[in-house]
Amino acid sequence: MTIPDLDLMKQVNRQFVSGVTVVTALDDDTPRGLAVNAFSSISLEPPTVMVAVQHTSSTHDCLFRTDHLAINILSTAQGDVVKTFATKSADKFAGLDWSPGPHGSPLIARSAAQMEVAIRERLRASTHTVFICRVEHATVTDLPPMVYSAGKFFDGSALDPLA
């Protein structure tokens, strides 16, 4: 059996439309974060979600040590935010409007939705850690969500329904 090569897997993954999130946490008193598209709801009762973060990310160790993290579902008004958090910038929070959630995790202003979650499990999966989390706090706004497909960002509210 032949395993698909990296280029083929990139092509396959580009066919999947995903939301755009920034996962954040406090590292002592320093806010940390990164753009993550490997996010999914697992269960509504109890509210449970997962995110996967590459081990080589500069934010990974902070997330691995903490008890809580925030998942900021980005809106179409946050092109600047996704560009910043997709980089290896030393201070991604410089000039960013955010506030601490109930457990201190950074909630980014102008997001379509936000949640602060308690990390329940950390599963090592090859090059990533999958964080299984229980939602403890959530907010939603009227701002349209940003979505990602084939290397581009789109307005999630402008998608045409099929039926």
Side-chain angles (χ1 to χ4, degrees):
M1 179 168 77
T2 304
I3 297 173
D5 69 16
L6 182 62
D7 288 333
L8 176 59
M9 288 310 304
K10 286 180 180 180
Q11 290 175 28
V12 168
N13 288 339
R14 285 185 184 120
Q15 297 303 312
F16 188 71
V17 176
S18 67
V20 181
T21 69
V22 169
V23 173
T24 58
L26 282 183
D27 191 6
D28 292 322
D29 290 329
T30 303
R32 305 259 185 234
L34 74 160
V36 172
N37 72 343
F39 158 79
S40 182
S41 173
I42 296 174
S43 171
L44 293 176
E45 289 187 30
T48 306
V49 298
M50 59 78 48
V51 294
V53 177
Q54 192 167 18
H55 296 158
T56 57
S57 163
S58 59
T59 305
H60 178 272
D61 291 348
C62 163
L63 296 174
F64 204 85
R65 287 189 304 268
T66 193
D67 293 333
H68 288 80
L69 59 85
I71 301 164
N72 299 275
I73 298 174
L74 298 191
S75 74
T76 56
Q78 293 177 296
D80 58 328
V81 174
V82 73
K83 286 177 188 170
T84 298
F85 281 87
T87 68
K88 301 259 187 216
S89 172
D91 185 3
K92 298 175 186 178
F93 287 83
L96 184 68
D97 186 10
W98 67 276
S99 59
H103 295 278
S105 304
L107 300 174
I108 301 173
R110 300 182 292 138
S111 295
Q114 307 161 319
M115 62 187 92
E116 190 172 28
V117 302
I119 299 171
R120 299 296 183 139
E121 295 181 60
R122 295 162 180 84
L123 308 171
R124 292 195 180 263
S126 188
T127 58
H128 287 65
T129 297
V130 178
F131 296 89
I132 308 295
C133 308
R134 181 77 46 86
V135 179
E136 294 187 346
H137 171 79
T139 62
V140 66
T141 70
D142 290 333
L143 296 170
M146 181 187 305
V147 296
Y148 179 80
S149 180
K152 296 178 184 161
F153 298 100
F154 297 90
D155 181 340
S157 68
L159 301 174
D160 293 327
L162 294 176

